[in-house]
Amino acid sequence: MQYYSLAKQSPNVNFKTAAITGQAPDKGLYFPTTIPQFTKEQIEKFKTLDKASLAFEVMKPYVGGTIDDASLQQICAETINFDFPLVPITDTIYALELFHGPTLAFKDVGARFMSRCLGYFSKQIKAEKFAQSTKVEPEQIVETKDNIKNAISASKPTTVLVATSGDTGGAVANGFLGVEGVNVIILYPKGKVSPIQELQLTTCGQNITALEVEGSFDDCQAIVKDAFMDASLNAAYNLTSANSINVARWLPQQLYYFFAWQQWVAKYGDQIPMHIVVPSGNFGNICAGMMAKASGLPLGHFVAACNANNVVTRYLQTGNYEIHKAVATVSNAMDVGNPSNFVRIMEIMQNNFENLKQGLSSYSYDDVVTASTIHRVYKTNDYILDPHGAVAFLAAEQFIQEKLQTSSLQNVESETSNLRAIILETAHPVKFPEVVEAAIGQTIDIPVSVQFLLYKEKVAIPMGASFSEFKAWMLANARS
Ligand SMILES: *Cc1c(COP(=O)(O)O)cnc(C)c1O
């Protein structure tokens, strides 16, 4: 399996190179040269496979031999070692809860998979370098403590730089914590992440460093962008990014569509289509679901639920793709003005607008109706949505209603009983306490799994919103 750049100006690479470099040299996103096709027999077998084995079967073709099977099995098992329950909210709408991982958001899956892949490759590269320096074949290296120490000093450590508005940083910090040979530096905007998010970013220690930037998320992102272009930083560090354009973060997101489908067919068999509503910002998550479908998983229709940042919703209505500067909303993980993964969706749809409209719908909602929906669903259905899930819930209701209206009279009965959708609940409501607690009129319990954070001490390095200050700090650190 090879990957090509969607900008078409760079050579094809394997999974290892795509994962290490993130973006192609021509700034294009990597895309697999062929989408693996699972046979009917394989899909039938997937129905009852345990999660870890299923994850291995799905990821193996994409990894394309760059990770040995035993290691990939272990990476997959570690990546998905928590629950992905499909929980009914109403008679027709279900929540696929993706917030049972260590940082309470779906980004855990991508971050955990990517971190372990980079850890694997980093170890492999060091072994190769060490072998070159001592003229022995890599296979012959015995991993003694001394050998590893020498090898580590023989190469620059991989340093992941990431700017975050909240969820990404926590998932990446947690995913990379303790991964040998990889350091992580997280830039987050001071005072602009929620208390739980800040604790997730700043209490890891070890190979994770948090920089508290006196500025906005955009400032953090600008510093990271400048860093990737800077010659002296690139000479001192082996820099890489951990955002969703990296194939190692993007592709494993397919897994929970497989897990959802397993639960769906166990309940409904093959007859009732599983329509899927995904709260979308950068469109990496929904694009992964569409890949799963393109590889043969029998999924229903896809719906992208958006907040006021609705470039894709408008595109589907008008055929005009007009990007805007992001506006701030209560579902802030979707505040993206120019979704970077949308080019991948177009590639899956053979860059054909009619195909796109067949496979994808999109709706957009403002903050007022988002908050009132959190209130309504809590009162009516006793389910606490987070702001992103609330946007998805609204889209699911609208999708079902429009489908009912457009179906012909004689179909109504069967359509009515069969029309169901799942929404992806992408984060735990406790990560957005201000909005959710105001909407439901009470406080939310902090899940036991993250209560330990409350006893930890925040450690963050204060940093001005200036690239030169950041660069000076980085270079001083590299020498020490
Ligand atoms: C990142 C994120 C999203 C958006 O996912 P994309 O893959 O960028 O579309 C939605 N909800 C939450 C809670 C997130 O953290």
Side-chain angles (χ1 to χ4, degrees), residues 106-107 167 279-285 333-334 388 426-427:
F106 81 90
K107 291 191 173 69
D167 276 348
S280 296
N282 237 335
F283 281 69
N285 195 358
M334 309 197 293
H388 307 78
T426 45

Side-chain angles (χ1 to χ4, degrees), residues 276-299:
I276 304 171
V277 184
V278 187
S280 296
N282 237 335
F283 281 69
N285 195 358
I286 193 167
C287 183
M290 294 170 89
M291 284 291 278
K293 186 174 177 178
S295 68
L297 190 66
L299 302 176

Side-chain angles (χ1 to χ4, degrees), residues 71-111:
S71 301
L72 183 59
Q73 254 153 3
Q74 192 186 342
I75 290 171
C76 287
E78 287 176 12
T79 296
I80 50 90
N81 70 349
F82 45 87
D83 291 335
F84 301 82
L86 191 60
V87 177
I89 304 178
T90 70
D91 290 345
T92 51
I93 301 175
Y94 291 72
L96 178 66
E97 294 184 346
L98 300 178
F99 54 72
H100 295 280
T103 74
L104 311 179
F106 81 90
K107 291 191 173 69
D108 280 326
V109 170

Side-chain angles (χ1 to χ4, degrees), residues 228-285:
F228 286 119
M229 311 288 279
D230 188 88
S232 40
L233 284 183
N234 281 290
Y237 290 91
N238 206 347
L239 293 179
T240 188
S241 84
N243 58 25
S244 66
I245 62 171
N246 192 305
V247 293
R249 230 194 93 183
W250 169 53
L251 291 169
Q253 299 181 126
Q254 295 178 87
L255 297 176
Y256 35 71
Y257 295 89
F258 283 84
F259 302 154
W261 170 81
Q262 278 190 324
Q263 296 174 70
W264 189 266
V265 291
K267 207 172 161 61
Y268 294 121
D270 292 322
Q271 292 316 307
I272 299 184
M274 186 175 83
H275 304 303
I276 304 171
V277 184
V278 187
S280 296
N282 237 335
F283 281 69
N285 195 358

Side-chain angles (χ1 to χ4, degrees), residues 2-5 8-13 24-26 30:
Q2 294 277 301
Y3 291 81
Y4 63 100
S5 164
K8 310 253 162 78
Q9 305 295 317
S10 302
N12 290 359
V13 297
D26 60 14
Y30 282 120

Side-chain angles (χ1 to χ4, degrees), residues 165-180:
S165 57
D167 276 348
T168 300
V172 169
N174 191 284
F176 281 83
L177 181 63
V179 172
E180 233 175 276

Side-chain angles (χ1 to χ4, degrees), residues 3 27 60 130 145 164 181 192 204 211 237 294 310 326 420 436 463:
Y3 291 81
K27 305 276 178 257
K60 187 177 154 72
F130 180 68
K145 274 209 173 104
T164 185
K192 296 199 177 66
C204 286
L211 303 183
Y237 290 91
N310 57 4
R420 291 188 171 85
V436 178
M463 182 71 55

